[in-house]
DNA sequence: GCCAACGTTGGC
DNA sequence: GCCAACGTTGGC
């Protein structure tokens, strides 16, 4: 079981859209590095959902429910991939980018060191820390 | 709105 | 294969 972080602009497709759809297709990734990570996803993996743009924060956890499959929205569907995600839990207290940057434990996250990557692995240690933070008042 | 960082494209 | 030009992402 692996942990991931996926980024999205909530104006385009965000947490609320995922909740509304129940199971949503995470598509549109057009970056090779992100694509390569996505291809490693397995059903049962957990993906943190991060909103970029006006607010910059991890808003909740979703579960990967399919293996990666060709992205139907791509012109070359053999090149790009999608997975389906199911919203698991909205975080009571979203963890924002400023917090992550300010904490030495977390400041090595790819979210900080490679700010343009839209799909990235998250270590279990980081995941646990982030989850604990989201449960604090 | 600006700009830094990064990725891609295309001329040579 | 190099690199300048350009486009995009995303934080500020």
């Amino acid at each position: 079981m692996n942990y991931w972080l996926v980024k999205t602009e909530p104006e385009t497709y965000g947490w609320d859209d995922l909740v509304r759809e129940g199971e949503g297709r995470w598509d549109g990734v057009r970056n090779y590095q992100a694509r390569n990570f996505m291809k490693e996803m397995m059903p049962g993996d957990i993906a943190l959902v991060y909103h970029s743009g006006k607010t910059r924060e991890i808003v909740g956890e979703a579960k990967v429910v399919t293996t990666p499959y060709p992205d139907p929205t791509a012109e070359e569907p053999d090149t790009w991939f999608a997975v389906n995600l199911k919203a698991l839990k909205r975080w009571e207290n979203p963890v924002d980018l400023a917090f992550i940057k300010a904490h030495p434990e977390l400041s090595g996250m790819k979210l900080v060191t490679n700010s343009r990557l839209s799909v990235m692995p998250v270590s279990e240690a980081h995941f646990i820390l982030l989850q604990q933070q989201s449960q604090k008042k």
Side-chain angles (χ1 to χ4, degrees):
Chain A
M1 214 267 273
N2 288 302
Y3 299 101
W4 308 92
L5 184 147
V6 295
K7 279 204 284 206
T8 188
E9 295 203 40
E11 291 80 10
T12 308
Y13 187 95
W15 177 265
D16 292 340
D17 299 290
L18 190 60
V19 169
R20 179 165 1 96
E21 292 187 353
E23 181 176 325
R25 188 177 67 222
W26 210 262
D27 57 25
V29 171
R30 297 292 184 273
N31 169 282
Y32 287 104
Q33 211 185 339
R35 189 276 313 263
N36 291 342
F37 285 133
M38 200 171 211
K39 283 177 78 173
E40 293 176 29
M41 286 183 174
M42 299 279 289
D45 286 357
I46 301 295
L48 301 175
V49 177
Y50 176 87
H51 281 175
S52 63
K54 291 195 192 95
T55 62
R56 294 165 292 281
E57 55 193 19
I58 300 169
V59 294
E61 292 168 38
K63 189 199 286 194
V64 177
V65 291
T66 66
T67 52
Y69 58 91
D71 183 344
T73 70
E75 283 182 37
E76 317 110 312
D78 293 338
T79 303
W80 305 110
F81 289 81
V83 294
N84 287 7
L85 297 182
K86 193 177 189 327
L88 276 187
K89 185 169 68 173
R90 177 187 272 281
W91 280 2
E92 246 179 86
N93 302 290
V95 178
D96 67 17
L97 183 62
F99 176 88
I100 292 167
K101 281 186 166 178
H103 281 72
E105 286 285 329
L106 296 169
S107 59
M109 286 183 69
K110 286 194 166 60
L111 184 66
V112 178
T113 61
N114 187 355
S115 67
R116 298 186 49 192
L117 189 62
S118 58
V119 178
M120 67 192 78
V122 174
S123 72
E124 185 171 21
H126 284 168
F127 176 82
I128 290 168
L129 258 169
L130 291 162
Q131 200 180 41
Q132 284 172 351
Q133 182 60 26
S134 76
Q135 288 160 1
K136 286 183 185 165
K137 283 280 155 63

